[in-house]
Amino acid sequence: MRDYLVEIACLVAGSDVFSVLAHVDYAVRYWPEQAGPFRPHLFEGEFRHALRALAGGGRVLEVNTGGRLHPEIVRWWGEEGGKAVTFGSDAHSPRALARDFAQAVAMVEAHGLRPGRHPYDTWFRPGR
């Protein structure tokens, strides 16, 4: 997990060909069951470093509606200077498209982000 988050900061520093980072928590998919539930606060420093690099590069963080990004990570995103998020659903079938979108929206709103002109646009922190 730590190596993955360090690599995100390197990716941001080494490439300007993307504007949105999806799956900031991708490595959690491979979290070992015997380690117990994933607790993002154990990696707070590494998450903050990656998020600070992302925000400093003017990038946007994707909130995946199917993967349930931990709310702490969205809070840290704002605290590290992140100004915007987009939503993705990683839908591999029409039925999964926008699954749990309402829950993702509620979580993002609770962290101070608001929709652009349309709820499906990029969401911003007021005063961006």
Side-chain angles (χ1 to χ4, degrees):
M1 190 72 209
R2 294 181 204 290
D3 291 344
Y4 175 75
L5 292 167
V6 166
E7 191 59 34
I8 287 175
C10 293
L11 173 70
V12 171
S15 176
D16 63 357
V17 298
F18 68 97
S19 58
V20 177
L21 178 73
H23 306 298
V24 70
D25 62 346
Y26 184 78
V28 175
R29 292 180 185 192
Y30 303 100
W31 188 254
E33 190 174 313
Q34 65 273 19
F38 178 72
R39 295 176 294 184
H41 71 275
L42 296 176
F43 304 93
E44 181 177 352
E46 291 86 353
F47 268 112
R48 285 183 178 273
H49 175 72
L51 295 169
R52 191 170 35 254
L54 192 64
R59 314 294 170 85
V60 174
L61 179 67
E62 181 191 83
V63 173
N64 191 298
T65 66
R68 297 283 176 103
L69 187 63
H70 284 264
E72 297 93 332
I73 297 170
V74 176
R75 179 172 51 86
W76 297 335
W77 169 240
E79 291 172 356
E80 295 303 328
K83 298 192 181 343
V85 299
T86 61
F87 294 97
S89 65
D90 249 3
H92 295 261
S93 70
R95 176 175 249 184
L97 186 63
R99 179 184 59 222
D100 297 332
F101 184 73
Q103 292 91 330
V105 164
M107 188 262 295
V108 165
E109 283 181 323
H111 289 92
L113 291 126
R114 300 294 177 257
R117 291 178 300 188
H118 188 278
Y120 302 114
D121 287 343
T122 301
W123 284 47
F124 295 95
R125 223 167 270 299
R128 56 179 189 245

